[in-house]
Amino acid sequence: MIIRDATPDDAAAACAVVRASIIELCLADHRGDPDILGRWLANKTPETVATWADGQGRSLLVAVEEGAVLAVGGLAHPNEITVNYVSPQARFRGVSSALVAALEQRAIALGAQEIALLSTETAHRFYLARGYVDVGVPVGKFGTAASYPMRKVLGRAP
Ligand SMILES: CC(C)(COP(=O)(O)OP(=O)(O)OC[C@H]1O[C@@H](n2cnc3c(N)ncnc32)[C@H](O)[C@@H]1OP(=O)(O)O)[C@@H](O)C(=O)NCCC(=O)NCCS
């Protein structure tokens, strides 16, 4: 597996991973509610994902193996993780750990000392185990019960 910057040519495959990850893995968040899913997926189109890869104040990284996109990660420069979705087929193989580490390295290269994100319920334990801490009150997003504002001081273990 390699992690590299996405190009607009990756948009269709990256978009498919994002949508499958939300639909199949984030059940604790959307609980199968079609209204929540509809709002969450509304902007998850290849056209929109292509704009995430435009390099304009943001980075989009893809984890790729044998030509297939396994996961998609986005950073709003310099220090906000805005996208982190793994393919259901690639879950629990260390892909997201590697991708988040790459996003953190990108933020460090941009001069950031801290990094922020809004975690799903599904990924909350994953981020806690990687040094992120809750900051502030959970918020509902797309109608979900709770998304967790989190931060991590960069350059410290884990
Ligand atoms: C939670 C999630 C982000 C983790 O991504 P991943 O690529 O599967 O994670 P990794 O393989 O790098 O890390 C493995 C994690 O799963 C656990 N794990 C590994 N194998 C497992 C298995 N067979 N069953 C259950 N958990 C397992 C590991 O213990 C580790 O979690 P922990 O260290 O917090 O205990 C991903 O699985 C997921 O559900 N994504 C959905 C989209 C989403 O919510 N994205 C976040 C947006 S903010």
Side-chain angles (χ1 to χ4, degrees), residues 20 32 150:
M150 304 186 85

Side-chain angles (χ1 to χ4, degrees), residues 3 21 34 36 45 60 72 74 97 102 105 115 120 123 126 145-146:
I3 294 174
S21 190
I36 295 174
T45 63
L60 191 70
V72 186
S97 298
Q105 287 305 314
I115 192 160
T120 55
F126 167 85

Side-chain angles (χ1 to χ4, degrees), residues 67-142:
V69 173
L70 302 185
V72 186
L75 183 79
H77 294 174
N79 67 339
E80 184 188 0
I81 294 177
T82 51
V83 177
N84 177 29
Y85 292 108
V86 66
S87 163
Q89 287 76 34
R91 200 182 200 194
F92 303 139
R93 284 181 39 193
V95 177
S96 298
S97 298
L99 192 58
V100 167
L103 293 168
E104 292 173 358
Q105 287 305 314
R106 180 63 57 93
I108 289 169
L110 292 164
Q113 298 182 336
E114 261 195 4
I115 192 160
L117 56 79
L118 187 64
S119 174
T120 55
E121 183 73 49
T122 302
H124 191 215
R125 194 175 66 93
F126 167 85
Y127 289 122
L128 287 170
R130 279 152 191 82
Y132 289 77
V133 295
D134 289 320
V135 285
V137 182
V139 294
K141 198 174 176 193
F142 309 119

